[in-house]
Amino acid sequence: MINKTILGKKVLVPQSPKNYKFDKIENKDIGSKFVIRLRVPEFTSICPVTDQPDFAFILIDYIPNNWIVESKSFKLYIHSFRNYGIFHEEATLLIGKSMYKQLKFKWIRISSFFAPRGGIPIDTFWQSSNPPKGIFLPSTDRYKF
């Protein structure tokens, strides 16, 4: 079963990531513990102070429960940050917590690696809890600006 409002339809990119509703796909292997990794190599948002663009590489690792995020829905959500004023840390937490709350994952981790601004890169990390035992959790070490 696919709970869809976006898949297969022409839709506009949302003006804001706030209150976004993800489309979801039923996890047909709910009994297995497996990790899904989403990579966003070209994330952009706008600095709310300077209106300058910010660039990041974002990694999201999650263990689904009943639902998997539908990829087109996720892409539109990420695109909604492109012209949205938000600090690095806030963007990271908004993405991770929004996905966790709506899709009710067993576990989620988000890692964001923002390009240096004034010579200082900002990396932000959040996870819903300690990772469950008995899962393969890939490293985030090789993903840096």
Side-chain angles (χ1 to χ4, degrees):
M1 176 177 125
I2 298 177
N3 180 355
K4 63 179 180 169
T5 58
I6 296 172
L7 187 63
K9 299 178 182 152
K10 272 194 166 185
V11 293
L12 297 174
V13 173
Q15 294 297 309
S16 163
K18 299 280 184 172
N19 302 314
Y20 184 82
K21 300 292 183 230
F22 293 99
D23 277 4
K24 52 193 178 182
I25 298 171
E26 184 180 6
N27 176 11
K28 293 184 179 179
D29 202 0
I30 198 165
S32 297
K33 274 195 222 173
F34 60 99
V35 176
I36 296 172
R37 173 168 278 182
L38 301 170
R39 293 183 296 156
V40 184
E42 297 177 345
F43 178 86
T44 57
S45 60
I46 300 293
C47 174
V49 175
T50 65
D51 287 334
Q52 296 296 307
D54 288 319
F55 303 92
F57 190 106
I58 295 179
L59 287 174
I60 300 168
D61 295 311
Y62 72 91
I63 299 173
N65 198 7
N66 294 324
W67 303 106
I68 295 170
V69 68
E70 193 281 315
S71 63
K72 180 177 179 182
S73 171
F74 176 73
K75 291 172 198 173
L76 285 167
Y77 176 66
I78 292 300
H79 194 171
S80 74
F81 284 88
R82 183 169 294 250
N83 295 312
Y84 187 73
I86 192 166
F87 291 110
H88 302 158
E89 302 84 353
E90 185 183 1
T92 304
L93 293 172
L94 179 59
I95 295 166
K97 289 181 177 184
S98 293
M99 293 180 74
Y100 183 67
K101 183 179 177 183
Q102 283 188 50
L103 299 160
K104 304 194 183 327
F105 296 142
K106 290 179 183 174
W107 177 83
I108 186 172
R109 170 180 74 179
I110 182 169
S111 308
S112 64
F113 305 96
F114 280 83
R117 172 70 72 95
I120 299 173
I122 296 177
D123 299 341
T124 304
F125 307 90
W126 178 81
Q127 62 186 28
S128 58
S129 63
N130 288 329
K133 294 190 186 305
I135 62 163
F136 170 72
L137 192 56
S139 170
T140 62
D141 290 346
R142 71 183 191 125
Y143 299 99
K144 302 277 184 200
F145 257 100

mmCIF file with all atom_site columns, all heavy atoms in Angstrom, residues 100-125:
data_model
loop_
_atom_site.group_PDB
_atom_site.id
_atom_site.type_symbol
_atom_site.label_atom_id
_atom_site.label_alt_id
_atom_site.label_comp_id
_atom_site.label_asym_id
_atom_site.label_entity_id
_atom_site.label_seq_id
_atom_site.pdbx_PDB_ins_code
_atom_site.Cartn_x
_atom_site.Cartn_y
_atom_site.Cartn_z
_atom_site.occupancy
_atom_site.B_iso_or_equiv
_atom_site.pdbx_formal_charge
_atom_site.auth_seq_id
_atom_site.auth_comp_id
_atom_site.auth_asym_id
_atom_site.auth_atom_id
_atom_site.pdbx_PDB_model_num
ATOM 1   N N   . TYR A 1 100 ? 10.942 11.702 11.799 1.00 0.00 ? 100 TYR A N   1
ATOM 2   C CA  . TYR A 1 100 ? 10.738 10.775 12.917 1.00 0.00 ? 100 TYR A CA  1
ATOM 3   C C   . TYR A 1 100 ? 9.295  10.833 13.427 1.00 0.00 ? 100 TYR A C   1
ATOM 4   O O   . TYR A 1 100 ? 8.647  9.807  13.642 1.00 0.00 ? 100 TYR A O   1
ATOM 5   C CB  . TYR A 1 100 ? 11.726 11.102 14.029 1.00 0.00 ? 100 TYR A CB  1
ATOM 6   C CG  . TYR A 1 100 ? 11.667 10.179 15.207 1.00 0.00 ? 100 TYR A CG  1
ATOM 7   C CD1 . TYR A 1 100 ? 12.045 8.841  15.087 1.00 0.00 ? 100 TYR A CD1 1
ATOM 8   C CD2 . TYR A 1 100 ? 11.257 10.631 16.452 1.00 0.00 ? 100 TYR A CD2 1
ATOM 9   C CE1 . TYR A 1 100 ? 12.003 7.980  16.175 1.00 0.00 ? 100 TYR A CE1 1
ATOM 10  C CE2 . TYR A 1 100 ? 11.219 9.777  17.543 1.00 0.00 ? 100 TYR A CE2 1
ATOM 11  C CZ  . TYR A 1 100 ? 11.592 8.455  17.397 1.00 0.00 ? 100 TYR A CZ  1
ATOM 12  O OH  . TYR A 1 100 ? 11.547 7.611  18.478 1.00 0.00 ? 100 TYR A OH  1
ATOM 13  N N   . LYS A 1 101 ? 8.788  12.041 13.587 1.00 0.00 ? 101 LYS A N   1
ATOM 14  C CA  . LYS A 1 101 ? 7.434  12.219 14.115 1.00 0.00 ? 101 LYS A CA  1
ATOM 15  C C   . LYS A 1 101 ? 6.357  11.710 13.153 1.00 0.00 ? 101 LYS A C   1
ATOM 16  O O   . LYS A 1 101 ? 5.446  10.986 13.543 1.00 0.00 ? 101 LYS A O   1
ATOM 17  C CB  . LYS A 1 101 ? 7.202  13.698 14.418 1.00 0.00 ? 101 LYS A CB  1
ATOM 18  C CG  . LYS A 1 101 ? 5.849  13.982 15.026 1.00 0.00 ? 101 LYS A CG  1
ATOM 19  C CD  . LYS A 1 101 ? 5.694  15.459 15.333 1.00 0.00 ? 101 LYS A CD  1
ATOM 20  C CE  . LYS A 1 101 ? 4.311  15.748 15.879 1.00 0.00 ? 101 LYS A CE  1
ATOM 21  N NZ  . LYS A 1 101 ? 4.110  17.176 16.113 1.00 0.00 ? 101 LYS A NZ  1
ATOM 22  N N   . GLN A 1 102 ? 6.483  12.067 11.892 1.00 0.00 ? 102 GLN A N   1
ATOM 23  C CA  . GLN A 1 102 ? 5.442  11.688 10.929 1.00 0.00 ? 102 GLN A CA  1
ATOM 24  C C   . GLN A 1 102 ? 5.485  10.225 10.536 1.00 0.00 ? 102 GLN A C   1
ATOM 25  O O   . GLN A 1 102 ? 4.450  9.582  10.375 1.00 0.00 ? 102 GLN A O   1
ATOM 26  C CB  . GLN A 1 102 ? 5.577  12.530 9.652  1.00 0.00 ? 102 GLN A CB  1
ATOM 27  C CG  . GLN A 1 102 ? 5.059  13.924 9.789  1.00 0.00 ? 102 GLN A CG  1
ATOM 28  C CD  . GLN A 1 102 ? 5.055  14.611 8.449  1.00 0.00 ? 102 GLN A CD  1
ATOM 29  O OE1 . GLN A 1 102 ? 4.557  14.068 7.461  1.00 0.00 ? 102 GLN A OE1 1
ATOM 30  N NE2 . GLN A 1 102 ? 5.612  15.804 8.395  1.00 0.00 ? 102 GLN A NE2 1
ATOM 31  N N   . LEU A 1 103 ? 6.685  9.694  10.319 1.00 0.00 ? 103 LEU A N   1
ATOM 32  C CA  . LEU A 1 103 ? 6.813  8.338  9.786  1.00 0.00 ? 103 LEU A CA  1
ATOM 33  C C   . LEU A 1 103 ? 7.009  7.289  10.878 1.00 0.00 ? 103 LEU A C   1
ATOM 34  O O   . LEU A 1 103 ? 7.023  6.100  10.596 1.00 0.00 ? 103 LEU A O   1
ATOM 35  C CB  . LEU A 1 103 ? 7.941  8.297  8.755  1.00 0.00 ? 103 LEU A CB  1
ATOM 36  C CG  . LEU A 1 103 ? 7.660  9.236  7.568  1.00 0.00 ? 103 LEU A CG  1
ATOM 37  C CD1 . LEU A 1 103 ? 8.927  9.582  6.823  1.00 0.00 ? 103 LEU A CD1 1
ATOM 38  C CD2 . LEU A 1 103 ? 6.634  8.642  6.642  1.00 0.00 ? 103 LEU A CD2 1
ATOM 39  N N   . LYS A 1 104 ? 7.179  7.749  12.105 1.00 0.00 ? 104 LYS A N   1
ATOM 40  C CA  . LYS A 1 104 ? 7.259  6.873  13.276 1.00 0.00 ? 104 LYS A CA  1
ATOM 41  C C   . LYS A 1 104 ? 8.294  5.746  13.104 1.00 0.00 ? 104 LYS A C   1
ATOM 42  O O   . LYS A 1 104 ? 8.009  4.568  13.318 1.00 0.00 ? 104 LYS A O   1
ATOM 43  C CB  . LYS A 1 104 ? 5.883  6.318  13.625 1.00 0.00 ? 104 LYS A CB  1
ATOM 44  C CG  . LYS A 1 104 ? 4.862  7.435  13.852 1.00 0.00 ? 104 LYS A CG  1
ATOM 45  C CD  . LYS A 1 104 ? 3.612  6.967  14.500 1.00 0.00 ? 104 LYS A CD  1
ATOM 46  C CE  . LYS A 1 104 ? 2.567  8.027  14.680 1.00 0.00 ? 104 LYS A CE  1
ATOM 47  N NZ  . LYS A 1 104 ? 2.940  9.368  14.925 1.00 0.00 ? 104 LYS A NZ  1
ATOM 48  N N   . PHE A 1 105 ? 9.489  6.159  12.680 1.00 0.00 ? 105 PHE A N   1
ATOM 49  C CA  . PHE A 1 105 ? 10.580 5.205  12.525 1.00 0.00 ? 105 PHE A CA  1
ATOM 50  C C   . PHE A 1 105 ? 10.943 4.580  13.871 1.00 0.00 ? 105 PHE A C   1
ATOM 51  O O   . PHE A 1 105 ? 10.736 5.177  14.922 1.00 0.00 ? 105 PHE A O   1
ATOM 52  C CB  . PHE A 1 105 ? 11.820 5.896  11.969 1.00 0.00 ? 105 PHE A CB  1
ATOM 53  C CG  . PHE A 1 105 ? 11.658 6.467  10.584 1.00 0.00 ? 105 PHE A CG  1
ATOM 54  C CD1 . PHE A 1 105 ? 12.255 7.668  10.255 1.00 0.00 ? 105 PHE A CD1 1
ATOM 55  C CD2 . PHE A 1 105 ? 10.934 5.812  9.608  1.00 0.00 ? 105 PHE A CD2 1
ATOM 56  C CE1 . PHE A 1 105 ? 12.144 8.200  8.981  1.00 0.00 ? 105 PHE A CE1 1
ATOM 57  C CE2 . PHE A 1 105 ? 10.811 6.326  8.328  1.00 0.00 ? 105 PHE A CE2 1
ATOM 58  C CZ  . PHE A 1 105 ? 11.423 7.533  8.024  1.00 0.00 ? 105 PHE A CZ  1
ATOM 59  N N   . LYS A 1 106 ? 11.544 3.389  13.813 1.00 0.00 ? 106 LYS A N   1
ATOM 60  C CA  . LYS A 1 106 ? 12.087 2.776  15.026 1.00 0.00 ? 106 LYS A CA  1
ATOM 61  C C   . LYS A 1 106 ? 13.259 3.612  15.533 1.00 0.00 ? 106 LYS A C   1
ATOM 62  O O   . LYS A 1 106 ? 13.468 3.746  16.741 1.00 0.00 ? 106 LYS A O   1
ATOM 63  C CB  . LYS A 1 106 ? 12.561 1.353  14.744 1.00 0.00 ? 106 LYS A CB  1
ATOM 64  C CG  . LYS A 1 106 ? 11.435 0.383  14.474 1.00 0.00 ? 106 LYS A CG  1
ATOM 65  C CD  . LYS A 1 106 ? 11.975 -1.008 14.179 1.00 0.00 ? 106 LYS A CD  1
ATOM 66  C CE  . LYS A 1 106 ? 10.834 -1.938 13.836 1.00 0.00 ? 106 LYS A CE  1
ATOM 67  N NZ  . LYS A 1 106 ? 11.322 -3.254 13.408 1.00 0.00 ? 106 LYS A NZ  1
ATOM 68  N N   . TRP A 1 107 ? 14.033 4.152  14.595 1.00 0.00 ? 107 TRP A N   1
ATOM 69  C CA  . TRP A 1 107 ? 15.228 4.925  14.946 1.00 0.00 ? 107 TRP A CA  1
ATOM 70  C C   . TRP A 1 107 ? 15.637 5.752  13.737 1.00 0.00 ? 107 TRP A C   1
ATOM 71  O O   . TRP A 1 107 ? 15.423 5.345  12.598 1.00 0.00 ? 107 TRP A O   1
ATOM 72  C CB  . TRP A 1 107 ? 16.359 3.960  15.329 1.00 0.00 ? 107 TRP A CB  1
ATOM 73  C CG  . TRP A 1 107 ? 17.649 4.619  15.638 1.00 0.00 ? 107 TRP A CG  1
ATOM 74  C CD1 . TRP A 1 107 ? 18.029 5.179  16.820 1.00 0.00 ? 107 TRP A CD1 1
ATOM 75  C CD2 . TRP A 1 107 ? 18.760 4.785  14.744 1.00 0.00 ? 107 TRP A CD2 1
ATOM 76  N NE1 . TRP A 1 107 ? 19.304 5.695  16.722 1.00 0.00 ? 107 TRP A NE1 1
ATOM 77  C CE2 . TRP A 1 107 ? 19.761 5.451  15.448 1.00 0.00 ? 107 TRP A CE2 1
ATOM 78  C CE3 . TRP A 1 107 ? 18.983 4.429  13.421 1.00 0.00 ? 107 TRP A CE3 1
ATOM 79  C CZ2 . TRP A 1 107 ? 20.988 5.772  14.872 1.00 0.00 ? 107 TRP A CZ2 1
ATOM 80  C CZ3 . TRP A 1 107 ? 20.199 4.747  12.850 1.00 0.00 ? 107 TRP A CZ3 1
ATOM 81  C CH2 . TRP A 1 107 ? 21.187 5.408  13.584 1.00 0.00 ? 107 TRP A CH2 1
ATOM 82  N N   . ILE A 1 108 ? 16.217 6.934  13.991 1.00 0.00 ? 108 ILE A N   1
ATOM 83  C CA  . ILE A 1 108 ? 16.724 7.793  12.917 1.00 0.00 ? 108 ILE A CA  1
ATOM 84  C C   . ILE A 1 108 ? 17.947 8.559  13.410 1.00 0.00 ? 108 ILE A C   1
ATOM 85  O O   . ILE A 1 108 ? 18.041 8.905  14.597 1.00 0.00 ? 108 ILE A O   1
ATOM 86  C CB  . ILE A 1 108 ? 15.636 8.764  12.390 1.00 0.00 ? 108 ILE A CB  1
ATOM 87  C CG1 . ILE A 1 108 ? 16.139 9.543  11.173 1.00 0.00 ? 108 ILE A CG1 1
ATOM 88  C CG2 . ILE A 1 108 ? 15.147 9.684  13.489 1.00 0.00 ? 108 ILE A CG2 1
ATOM 89  C CD1 . ILE A 1 108 ? 15.079 10.375 10.471 1.00 0.00 ? 108 ILE A CD1 1
ATOM 90  N N   . ARG A 1 109 ? 18.871 8.771  12.482 1.00 0.00 ? 109 ARG A N   1
ATOM 91  C CA  . ARG A 1 109 ? 20.060 9.603  12.727 1.00 0.00 ? 109 ARG A CA  1
ATOM 92  C C   . ARG A 1 109 ? 20.224 10.507 11.526 1.00 0.00 ? 109 ARG A C   1
ATOM 93  O O   . ARG A 1 109 ? 20.136 10.064 10.382 1.00 0.00 ? 109 ARG A O   1
ATOM 94  C CB  . ARG A 1 109 ? 21.295 8.723  12.880 1.00 0.00 ? 109 ARG A CB  1
ATOM 95  C CG  . ARG A 1 109 ? 22.610 9.507  12.895 1.00 0.00 ? 109 ARG A CG  1
ATOM 96  C CD  . ARG A 1 109 ? 23.815 8.619  13.058 1.00 0.00 ? 109 ARG A CD  1
ATOM 97  N NE  . ARG A 1 109 ? 24.107 7.881  11.830 1.00 0.00 ? 109 ARG A NE  1
ATOM 98  C CZ  . ARG A 1 109 ? 25.134 7.040  11.705 1.00 0.00 ? 109 ARG A CZ  1
ATOM 99  N NH1 . ARG A 1 109 ? 25.933 6.799  12.723 1.00 0.00 ? 109 ARG A NH1 1
ATOM 100 N NH2 . ARG A 1 109 ? 25.347 6.420  10.568 1.00 0.00 ? 109 ARG A NH2 1
ATOM 101 N N   . ILE A 1 110 ? 20.485 11.787 11.769 1.00 0.00 ? 110 ILE A N   1
ATOM 102 C CA  . ILE A 1 110 ? 20.770 12.724 10.692 1.00 0.00 ? 110 ILE A CA  1
ATOM 103 C C   . ILE A 1 110 ? 22.120 13.380 10.972 1.00 0.00 ? 110 ILE A C   1
ATOM 104 O O   . ILE A 1 110 ? 22.419 13.757 12.105 1.00 0.00 ? 110 ILE A O   1
ATOM 105 C CB  . ILE A 1 110 ? 19.651 13.769 10.504 1.00 0.00 ? 110 ILE A CB  1
ATOM 106 C CG1 . ILE A 1 110 ? 19.965 14.715 9.337  1.00 0.00 ? 110 ILE A CG1 1
ATOM 107 C CG2 . ILE A 1 110 ? 19.359 14.515 11.788 1.00 0.00 ? 110 ILE A CG2 1
ATOM 108 C CD1 . ILE A 1 110 ? 18.813 15.595 8.903  1.00 0.00 ? 110 ILE A CD1 1
ATOM 109 N N   . SER A 1 111 ? 22.919 13.479 9.929  1.00 0.00 ? 111 SER A N   1
ATOM 110 C CA  . SER A 1 111 ? 24.232 14.116 9.994  1.00 0.00 ? 111 SER A CA  1
ATOM 111 C C   . SER A 1 111 ? 24.292 15.150 8.891  1.00 0.00 ? 111 SER A C   1
ATOM 112 O O   . SER A 1 111 ? 24.050 14.831 7.727  1.00 0.00 ? 111 SER A O   1
ATOM 113 C CB  . SER A 1 111 ? 25.342 13.082 9.758  1.00 0.00 ? 111 SER A CB  1
ATOM 114 O OG  . SER A 1 111 ? 25.196 11.975 10.622 1.00 0.00 ? 111 SER A OG  1
ATOM 115 N N   . SER A 1 112 ? 24.605 16.383 9.245  1.00 0.00 ? 112 SER A N   1
ATOM 116 C CA  . SER A 1 112 ? 24.705 17.429 8.222  1.00 0.00 ? 112 SER A CA  1
ATOM 117 C C   . SER A 1 112 ? 26.101 18.035 8.268  1.00 0.00 ? 112 SER A C   1
ATOM 118 O O   . SER A 1 112 ? 26.621 18.342 9.338  1.00 0.00 ? 112 SER A O   1
ATOM 119 C CB  . SER A 1 112 ? 23.634 18.504 8.422  1.00 0.00 ? 112 SER A CB  1
ATOM 120 O OG  . SER A 1 112 ? 23.818 19.182 9.640  1.00 0.00 ? 112 SER A OG  1
ATOM 121 N N   . PHE A 1 113 ? 26.678 18.177 7.093  1.00 0.00 ? 113 PHE A N   1
ATOM 122 C CA  . PHE A 1 113 ? 28.026 18.709 6.941  1.00 0.00 ? 113 PHE A CA  1
ATOM 123 C C   . PHE A 1 113 ? 27.931 19.959 6.060  1.00 0.00 ? 113 PHE A C   1
ATOM 124 O O   . PHE A 1 113 ? 27.844 19.846 4.833  1.00 0.00 ? 113 PHE A O   1
ATOM 125 C CB  . PHE A 1 113 ? 28.944 17.668 6.300  1.00 0.00 ? 113 PHE A CB  1
ATOM 126 C CG  . PHE A 1 113 ? 28.963 16.356 7.053  1.00 0.00 ? 113 PHE A CG  1
ATOM 127 C CD1 . PHE A 1 113 ? 28.142 15.312 6.668  1.00 0.00 ? 113 PHE A CD1 1
ATOM 128 C CD2 . PHE A 1 113 ? 29.784 16.183 8.147  1.00 0.00 ? 113 PHE A CD2 1
ATOM 129 C CE1 . PHE A 1 113 ? 28.138 14.111 7.360  1.00 0.00 ? 113 PHE A CE1 1
ATOM 130 C CE2 . PHE A 1 113 ? 29.793 14.984 8.846  1.00 0.00 ? 113 PHE A CE2 1
ATOM 131 C CZ  . PHE A 1 113 ? 28.966 13.947 8.449  1.00 0.00 ? 113 PHE A CZ  1
ATOM 132 N N   . PHE A 1 114 ? 27.896 21.124 6.689  1.00 0.00 ? 114 PHE A N   1
ATOM 133 C CA  . PHE A 1 114 ? 27.750 22.367 5.942  1.00 0.00 ? 114 PHE A CA  1
ATOM 134 C C   . PHE A 1 114 ? 29.101 22.878 5.479  1.00 0.00 ? 114 PHE A C   1
ATOM 135 O O   . PHE A 1 114 ? 30.110 22.768 6.188  1.00 0.00 ? 114 PHE A O   1
ATOM 136 C CB  . PHE A 1 114 ? 27.038 23.427 6.790  1.00 0.00 ? 114 PHE A CB  1
ATOM 137 C CG  . PHE A 1 114 ? 25.552 23.249 6.813  1.00 0.00 ? 114 PHE A CG  1
ATOM 138 C CD1 . PHE A 1 114 ? 24.953 22.361 7.690  1.00 0.00 ? 114 PHE A CD1 1
ATOM 139 C CD2 . PHE A 1 114 ? 24.737 23.942 5.939  1.00 0.00 ? 114 PHE A CD2 1
ATOM 140 C CE1 . PHE A 1 114 ? 23.584 22.178 7.702  1.00 0.00 ? 114 PHE A CE1 1
ATOM 141 C CE2 . PHE A 1 114 ? 23.363 23.771 5.930  1.00 0.00 ? 114 PHE A CE2 1
ATOM 142 C CZ  . PHE A 1 114 ? 22.786 22.891 6.820  1.00 0.00 ? 114 PHE A CZ  1
ATOM 143 N N   . ALA A 1 115 ? 29.111 23.444 4.282  1.00 0.00 ? 115 ALA A N   1
ATOM 144 C CA  . ALA A 1 115 ? 30.331 24.012 3.713  1.00 0.00 ? 115 ALA A CA  1
ATOM 145 C C   . ALA A 1 115 ? 30.815 25.158 4.598  1.00 0.00 ? 115 ALA A C   1
ATOM 146 O O   . ALA A 1 115 ? 30.003 25.841 5.234  1.00 0.00 ? 115 ALA A O   1
ATOM 147 C CB  . ALA A 1 115 ? 30.063 24.519 2.293  1.00 0.00 ? 115 ALA A CB  1
ATOM 148 N N   . PRO A 1 116 ? 32.123 25.361 4.650  1.00 0.00 ? 116 PRO A N   1
ATOM 149 C CA  . PRO A 1 116 ? 32.652 26.432 5.501  1.00 0.00 ? 116 PRO A CA  1
ATOM 150 C C   . PRO A 1 116 ? 32.078 27.796 5.132  1.00 0.00 ? 116 PRO A C   1
ATOM 151 O O   . PRO A 1 116 ? 31.909 28.113 3.965  1.00 0.00 ? 116 PRO A O   1
ATOM 152 C CB  . PRO A 1 116 ? 34.158 26.390 5.228  1.00 0.00 ? 116 PRO A CB  1
ATOM 153 C CG  . PRO A 1 116 ? 34.419 25.018 4.742  1.00 0.00 ? 116 PRO A CG  1
ATOM 154 C CD  . PRO A 1 116 ? 33.185 24.608 3.994  1.00 0.00 ? 116 PRO A CD  1
ATOM 155 N N   . ARG A 1 117 ? 31.795 28.559 6.149  1.00 0.00 ? 117 ARG A N   1
ATOM 156 C CA  . ARG A 1 117 ? 31.351 29.939 6.010  1.00 0.00 ? 117 ARG A CA  1
ATOM 157 C C   . ARG A 1 117 ? 32.295 30.743 6.895  1.00 0.00 ? 117 ARG A C   1
ATOM 158 O O   . ARG A 1 117 ? 32.367 30.501 8.098  1.00 0.00 ? 117 ARG A O   1
ATOM 159 C CB  . ARG A 1 117 ? 29.900 30.042 6.481  1.00 0.00 ? 117 ARG A CB  1
ATOM 160 C CG  . ARG A 1 117 ? 29.297 31.410 6.589  1.00 0.00 ? 117 ARG A CG  1
ATOM 161 C CD  . ARG A 1 117 ? 29.053 32.077 5.254  1.00 0.00 ? 117 ARG A CD  1
ATOM 162 N NE  . ARG A 1 117 ? 27.976 31.562 4.458  1.00 0.00 ? 117 ARG A NE  1
ATOM 163 C CZ  . ARG A 1 117 ? 26.759 32.054 4.443  1.00 0.00 ? 117 ARG A CZ  1
ATOM 164 N NH1 . ARG A 1 117 ? 26.424 33.011 5.255  1.00 0.00 ? 117 ARG A NH1 1
ATOM 165 N NH2 . ARG A 1 117 ? 25.873 31.587 3.609  1.00 0.00 ? 117 ARG A NH2 1
ATOM 166 N N   . GLY A 1 118 ? 33.065 31.649 6.297  1.00 0.00 ? 118 GLY A N   1
ATOM 167 C CA  . GLY A 1 118 ? 34.061 32.384 7.079  1.00 0.00 ? 118 GLY A CA  1
ATOM 168 C C   . GLY A 1 118 ? 35.154 31.468 7.598  1.00 0.00 ? 118 GLY A C   1
ATOM 169 O O   . GLY A 1 118 ? 35.748 31.709 8.638  1.00 0.00 ? 118 GLY A O   1
ATOM 170 N N   . GLY A 1 119 ? 35.400 30.370 6.861  1.00 0.00 ? 119 GLY A N   1
ATOM 171 C CA  . GLY A 1 119 ? 36.459 29.438 7.235  1.00 0.00 ? 119 GLY A CA  1
ATOM 172 C C   . GLY A 1 119 ? 36.051 28.400 8.263  1.00 0.00 ? 119 GLY A C   1
ATOM 173 O O   . GLY A 1 119 ? 36.874 27.586 8.661  1.00 0.00 ? 119 GLY A O   1
ATOM 174 N N   . ILE A 1 120 ? 34.797 28.405 8.710  1.00 0.00 ? 120 ILE A N   1
ATOM 175 C CA  . ILE A 1 120 ? 34.368 27.475 9.752  1.00 0.00 ? 120 ILE A CA  1
ATOM 176 C C   . ILE A 1 120 ? 33.221 26.604 9.238  1.00 0.00 ? 120 ILE A C   1
ATOM 177 O O   . ILE A 1 120 ? 32.120 27.099 9.009  1.00 0.00 ? 120 ILE A O   1
ATOM 178 C CB  . ILE A 1 120 ? 33.912 28.232 11.013 1.00 0.00 ? 120 ILE A CB  1
ATOM 179 C CG1 . ILE A 1 120 ? 35.058 29.063 11.573 1.00 0.00 ? 120 ILE A CG1 1
ATOM 180 C CG2 . ILE A 1 120 ? 33.383 27.257 12.071 1.00 0.00 ? 120 ILE A CG2 1
ATOM 181 C CD1 . ILE A 1 120 ? 34.672 29.962 12.712 1.00 0.00 ? 120 ILE A CD1 1
ATOM 182 N N   . PRO A 1 121 ? 33.485 25.307 9.051  1.00 0.00 ? 121 PRO A N   1
ATOM 183 C CA  . PRO A 1 121 ? 32.371 24.408 8.710  1.00 0.00 ? 121 PRO A CA  1
ATOM 184 C C   . PRO A 1 121 ? 31.548 24.111 9.957  1.00 0.00 ? 121 PRO A C   1
ATOM 185 O O   . PRO A 1 121 ? 32.074 24.092 11.061 1.00 0.00 ? 121 PRO A O   1
ATOM 186 C CB  . PRO A 1 121 ? 33.070 23.150 8.202  1.00 0.00 ? 121 PRO A CB  1
ATOM 187 C CG  . PRO A 1 121 ? 34.431 23.176 8.801  1.00 0.00 ? 121 PRO A CG  1
ATOM 188 C CD  . PRO A 1 121 ? 34.769 24.616 9.073  1.00 0.00 ? 121 PRO A CD  1
ATOM 189 N N   . ILE A 1 122 ? 30.271 23.905 9.768  1.00 0.00 ? 122 ILE A N   1
ATOM 190 C CA  . ILE A 1 122 ? 29.391 23.527 10.881 1.00 0.00 ? 122 ILE A CA  1
ATOM 191 C C   . ILE A 1 122 ? 28.795 22.163 10.557 1.00 0.00 ? 122 ILE A C   1
ATOM 192 O O   . ILE A 1 122 ? 28.114 22.006 9.546  1.00 0.00 ? 122 ILE A O   1
ATOM 193 C CB  . ILE A 1 122 ? 28.272 24.563 11.097 1.00 0.00 ? 122 ILE A CB  1
ATOM 194 C CG1 . ILE A 1 122 ? 28.877 25.909 11.501 1.00 0.00 ? 122 ILE A CG1 1
ATOM 195 C CG2 . ILE A 1 122 ? 27.286 24.072 12.149 1.00 0.00 ? 122 ILE A CG2 1
ATOM 196 C CD1 . ILE A 1 122 ? 27.858 27.021 11.662 1.00 0.00 ? 122 ILE A CD1 1
ATOM 197 N N   . ASP A 1 123 ? 29.089 21.193 11.406 1.00 0.00 ? 123 ASP A N   1
ATOM 198 C CA  . ASP A 1 123 ? 28.524 19.852 11.280 1.00 0.00 ? 123 ASP A CA  1
ATOM 199 C C   . ASP A 1 123 ? 27.553 19.655 12.438 1.00 0.00 ? 123 ASP A C   1
ATOM 200 O O   . ASP A 1 123 ? 27.885 19.972 13.584 1.00 0.00 ? 123 ASP A O   1
ATOM 201 C CB  . ASP A 1 123 ? 29.620 18.783 11.356 1.00 0.00 ? 123 ASP A CB  1
ATOM 202 C CG  . ASP A 1 123 ? 30.653 18.917 10.244 1.00 0.00 ? 123 ASP A CG  1
ATOM 203 O OD1 . ASP A 1 123 ? 30.361 19.567 9.232  1.00 0.00 ? 123 ASP A OD1 1
ATOM 204 O OD2 . ASP A 1 123 ? 31.757 18.366 10.409 1.00 0.00 ? 123 ASP A OD2 1
ATOM 205 N N   . THR A 1 124 ? 26.370 19.153 12.133 1.00 0.00 ? 124 THR A N   1
ATOM 206 C CA  . THR A 1 124 ? 25.344 18.959 13.165 1.00 0.00 ? 124 THR A CA  1
ATOM 207 C C   . THR A 1 124 ? 24.824 17.532 13.074 1.00 0.00 ? 124 THR A C   1
ATOM 208 O O   . THR A 1 124 ? 24.618 17.010 11.980 1.00 0.00 ? 124 THR A O   1
ATOM 209 C CB  . THR A 1 124 ? 24.184 19.957 12.959 1.00 0.00 ? 124 THR A CB  1
ATOM 210 O OG1 . THR A 1 124 ? 24.709 21.279 12.940 1.00 0.00 ? 124 THR A OG1 1
ATOM 211 C CG2 . THR A 1 124 ? 23.170 19.848 14.074 1.00 0.00 ? 124 THR A CG2 1
ATOM 212 N N   . PHE A 1 125 ? 24.604 16.929 14.244 1.00 0.00 ? 125 PHE A N   1
ATOM 213 C CA  . PHE A 1 125 ? 24.161 15.542 14.323 1.00 0.00 ? 125 PHE A CA  1
ATOM 214 C C   . PHE A 1 125 ? 23.005 15.426 15.303 1.00 0.00 ? 125 PHE A C   1
ATOM 215 O O   . PHE A 1 125 ? 23.005 16.070 16.346 1.00 0.00 ? 125 PHE A O   1
ATOM 216 C CB  . PHE A 1 125 ? 25.307 14.639 14.798 1.00 0.00 ? 125 PHE A CB  1
ATOM 217 C CG  . PHE A 1 125 ? 26.560 14.802 13.994 1.00 0.00 ? 125 PHE A CG  1
ATOM 218 C CD1 . PHE A 1 125 ? 27.519 15.745 14.352 1.00 0.00 ? 125 PHE A CD1 1
ATOM 219 C CD2 . PHE A 1 125 ? 26.780 14.046 12.862 1.00 0.00 ? 125 PHE A CD2 1
ATOM 220 C CE1 . PHE A 1 125 ? 28.667 15.915 13.604 1.00 0.00 ? 125 PHE A CE1 1
ATOM 221 C CE2 . PHE A 1 125 ? 27.929 14.205 12.108 1.00 0.00 ? 125 PHE A CE2 1
ATOM 222 C CZ  . PHE A 1 125 ? 28.874 15.142 12.481 1.00 0.00 ? 125 PHE A CZ  1
#
